[in-house]
Amino acid sequence: MSNNPDQDFERTIDRAGTFSVKYDGRLSMFGQAEVMPLWVADMDFAAPAAVTDALLKRAAHPVYGYTQFPDSLYESLINWLAVRHGWQIEREWIIFCPGIVPSLSTSILALSKPGEAVIVQPPVYYPFFSVVKKSGRTLLHNALRQEQAHYNMDLADLAQQAATARMLLLCSPHNPVGRVWSKSELEKLLAIAKQHDLIIVSDEIHADLIYPGNKHHMLASLADAPESVITAVAPSKTFNIPGLNLSALIVPHPAYRAAIREQLDVMHVSAANPFSIAAFTAAYQDGTAWLAALMDYLADTREMVRQYLQDYLPQIKLTPSQGTYLLWLDCRDLGLSDDELRQFFILEAGIGLNPGISYGKEGSGFMRMNIGTPRQHIRQALDNVRSALERRSAS
């Protein structure tokens, strides 16, 4: 346990009554108000003290008026990407947006025409499907290949799809399967995009949540023509501040940048919230030590889950996770339909997980578990599953 209070990841923080989607939304999501919520992708850990201090300082000023983006906000992002990821970007490339999903939708609307095709790679974060379909674009599936529990891109199929597509939505690192794409894979992806003049919108919101032995590569930093890549980033997952809704699109291409700005102007969307700005800046300026402690803690939790499943629940297999705090559980050996699987976890084990089927048909038989919570909760959840399966066997 850390001596630093904001790095005490064992501490249980009561989130009930804070209008939390994860906790106060349990009844509407699962039909049960008391399930252990290990679903929506925010963590149960206190944000870094630097973030809280910055928010309190801003709140102490009693006027919360219209706010512009300060130099310190741009500098915090530029410096973070340079130091953490070795990627040097220009200030003029940055467009601030009210969240990653709105920025994906805005990019699609700005840079493609109705009916044009957009590729996604399921099983994938389910808003990827809706932002394409609700924009009136054609959705193409370039399904990931599962080979001995390890997921890879199907690059041959992608090359075929790219011939008729305008855009690809890349999830890097991948949610929910936990892949951190290798440099070689990403370079092959870029070669296909270049050949077919394919715009890639790369959602890299989990870029900082990487386990030892793996390295995240910012896609645009590998491209010989970075103008073909639009990168979406945010400190929200990294530092557990997603409710503050501030992200950034990094758009090197001047014409793409102008089109995206125009689309935001059409919608009269502004991301300039004084509290979001304060938290974003503080997180990137002063969050490094907190993040290192977080990743150590999550790595230990991930290993505990792997060992527990191996020892006590061999029917459930952990997909090797290279990044994110989301685990992809292969439950197909339980022999349950997707609806039965969901109900088993809710009604018999008392746990609220994300059904794999919601990430596309390729997720059938899987469940997604959020381990961004004190380890004792994860251990209790696993014990619940074990007891539920023992009751089934005895009946």
Side-chain angles (χ1 to χ4, degrees), residues 36 348-351 380-389 391:
M36 184 182 298
E348 298 184 48
I351 307 167
Q380 183 61 59
L382 295 171
D383 287 343
N384 287 3
V385 175
R386 183 182 177 188
S387 297
L389 288 175
R391 289 193 298 271

Side-chain angles (χ1 to χ4, degrees), residues 24 28 44 110 136 139 148 174 187 207 258 267 299 306 308 328 335 342 363 365 376 383:
D24 296 325
S28 61
D44 296 332
L139 182 66
Q148 298 180 342
H174 194 280
E187 287 175 339
M267 298 186 293
R306 187 200 65 77
Y308 191 105
W328 190 234
R342 181 176 184 273
Q376 61 188 340
D383 287 343

Side-chain angles (χ1 to χ4, degrees), residues 67-239:
T67 305
Q68 60 186 355
F69 298 124
D71 291 342
S72 57
L73 178 68
Y74 288 93
E75 290 164 2
S76 69
L77 175 58
I78 291 168
N79 291 339
W80 182 266
L81 292 175
V83 173
R84 188 89 186 177
H85 297 286
W87 185 29
Q88 191 65 54
I89 66 170
E90 302 296 329
R91 174 176 168 144
E92 65 181 16
W93 297 355
I94 300 170
I95 302 174
F96 289 109
C97 300
I100 294 289
V101 176
S103 70
L104 300 180
S105 179
T106 300
S107 298
I108 292 170
L109 291 169
L111 302 176
S112 65
K113 298 175 183 177
E116 286 190 313
V118 179
I119 303 169
V120 300
Q121 296 177 305
V124 72
Y125 181 49
Y126 47 85
F128 276 38
F129 303 115
S130 61
V131 295
V132 176
K133 292 189 288 188
K134 290 183 178 180
S135 299
R137 275 55 174 174
T138 301
L139 182 66
L140 298 181
H141 291 182
N142 170 231
L144 301 181
R145 293 200 319 259
Q146 189 183 18
E147 300 167 344
Q148 298 180 342
H150 189 78
Y151 283 88
N152 295 304
M153 293 188 205
D154 187 340
L155 294 171
D157 178 69
L158 177 61
Q160 291 185 331
Q161 303 265 20
T164 61
R166 170 64 172 166
M167 186 177 292
L168 164 70
L169 300 185
L170 177 69
C171 196
S172 177
H174 194 280
N175 171 16
V177 308
R179 269 303 314 276
V180 174
W181 305 115
S182 70
K183 183 179 180 182
S184 174
E185 288 171 304
L186 294 174
E187 287 175 339
K188 291 173 184 175
L189 173 68
L190 287 167
I192 292 170
K194 183 177 182 180
Q195 180 182 356
H196 296 286
D197 197 24
L198 186 72
I199 299 171
I200 302 177
V201 182
S202 186
D203 172 4
E204 304 193 28
I205 194 172
H206 295 280
D208 302 312
L209 300 168
I210 308 299
Y211 293 114
N214 303 282
K215 177 176 173 54
H216 177 76
H217 299 276
M218 306 297 295
L219 181 67
S221 72
L222 302 178
D224 57 7
E227 295 81 7
S228 66
V229 179
I230 297 167
T231 307
V233 294
S236 52
K237 302 298 184 187
T238 305
F239 299 104

Side-chain angles (χ1 to χ4, degrees), residues 129 328 338-339 354-367:
F129 303 115
W328 190 234
D338 288 302
D339 186 61
N354 292 97
I357 192 66
S358 64
Y359 302 92
K361 62 182 178 61
E362 296 81 4
S364 179
F366 288 77
M367 300 293 282

